[in-house]
Amino acid sequence: MRVLIFYNTAWYIYIFRRNLIKELQKAGCTVFAVAPHDDYVDKIRELGVDVRTLRLAPRSTNPAAELRAFSDLRRILGEV
């Protein structure tokens, strides 16, 4: 089974979902993470997770930026 974890920061995934990721891997799941690039992306990769970065501006209200983020997410979901 493939599991995708998506959040607006890699920091959050690493700090709050690290144990979940380990348990999913023990159960035989392939775990993917999607988040904007930050200092924690490499730490998540060290857990054996395939990380896909996303251009996401968490505080943006720019429609063009939102469409770009949606397009990136759609592409990533097609790849995973």
Side-chain angles (χ1 to χ4, degrees), residues 32-75:
F32 298 87
V34 177
H37 192 276
D38 65 20
D39 294 338
Y40 286 82
V41 167
D42 291 331
K43 292 180 180 188
I44 296 170
R45 285 189 175 123
E46 289 172 5
L47 296 174
V49 175
D50 184 358
V51 179
R52 307 296 172 102
T53 57
L54 176 71
R55 296 176 289 176
L56 182 66
R59 293 184 178 91
S60 173
T61 57
N62 180 343
E66 299 300 320
L67 281 172
R68 184 181 67 226
F70 178 75
S71 175
D72 286 351
L73 183 57
R74 187 172 177 201
R75 177 187 47 80

